[in-house]
Amino acid sequence: MMRRNNPFEDVEELFERLSRQFDEMGHQFDRSGMMPSPRMYDMAVDVSEYDDRLVLSADLPGYEKDDISLSIANQTLTIEAKRDVTEEHGEGEYLRRERRQQSARRTIRLPEMVDEENASASYRNGVLTVTLPKMDVTPDDSHRIDID
């Protein structure tokens, strides 16, 4: 059994799951034509931990590099992607053009402190790869507290 360091991880995981379920409900309304809102899609994310870094891979097919934004604060990485999609359908003399916005967003709580200044990212073939060097925290960095 895996032991968690943060007692709020279960709550955060629950909120992420609820958010994904609400997004899926929105997709069902979109497919039925009942709700013409911007579409939000889930993105598959893998987080790998190595001795000196965390590496996150996220699937974002169909987006351009400029459509994607990353931010990190308080041990939390946020990935957002937005794009405009235009579809044209020609039938005889008629042309139907549909425009919509497609977006994806994930917030990932990182298991360790990372060096935000030296983080890097690349985007190739629909896969975003984020490399986050771990903070080097050693016992020598501790501060002694005197007891009165």
Side-chain angles (χ1 to χ4, degrees), residues 50-65:
Y50 300 95
D51 290 337
D52 61 342
R53 69 192 180 286
L54 299 173
V55 177
L56 179 134
S57 298
D59 292 338
L60 290 166
Y63 289 92
E64 297 294 326
K65 182 174 77 168

Side-chain angles (χ1 to χ4, degrees), residues 6-139:
N6 183 349
F8 296 104
E9 282 184 8
D10 290 334
V11 174
E12 290 171 1
E13 186 177 311
L14 175 65
F15 278 115
E16 272 191 44
R17 199 167 3 139
L18 283 171
S19 177
R20 285 193 299 271
Q21 288 174 342
F22 278 116
D23 289 343
E24 181 56 34
M25 284 178 17
H27 297 314
Q28 291 172 2
F29 283 122
D30 285 346
R31 282 186 227 119
S32 68
M34 294 174 60
M35 189 169 69
S37 63
R39 295 182 181 182
M40 176 74 84
Y41 291 95
D42 287 336
M43 72 180 80
V45 176
D46 293 328
V47 179
S48 302
E49 184 171 355
Y50 300 95
D51 290 337
D52 61 342
R53 69 192 180 286
L54 299 173
V55 177
L56 179 134
S57 298
D59 292 338
L60 290 166
Y63 289 92
E64 297 294 326
K65 182 174 77 168
D66 294 336
D67 297 336
I68 303 167
S69 67
L70 293 169
S71 62
I72 188 167
N74 301 323
Q75 253 183 285
T76 302
L77 177 72
T78 301
I79 304 169
E80 292 183 280
K82 293 181 183 176
R83 68 180 175 160
D84 293 323
V85 179
T86 303
E87 294 179 15
E88 293 186 6
H89 305 278
E91 298 174 17
E93 297 178 21
Y94 298 97
L95 176 66
R96 184 180 78 200
R97 181 177 293 151
E98 295 182 11
R99 296 181 188 113
R100 67 179 187 276
Q101 187 180 66
Q102 207 171 37
S103 61
R105 183 176 199 274
R106 279 295 292 271
T107 301
I108 298 104
R109 179 83 173 148
L110 302 172
E112 295 204 27
M113 295 292 292
V114 296
D115 181 0
E116 298 171 8
E117 296 296 319
N118 290 309
S120 63
S122 64
Y123 182 69
R124 288 183 189 80
N125 300 323
V127 179
L128 174 69
T129 303
V130 182
T131 302
L132 304 161
K134 291 181 182 179
M135 291 292 286
D136 187 24
V137 179
T138 62

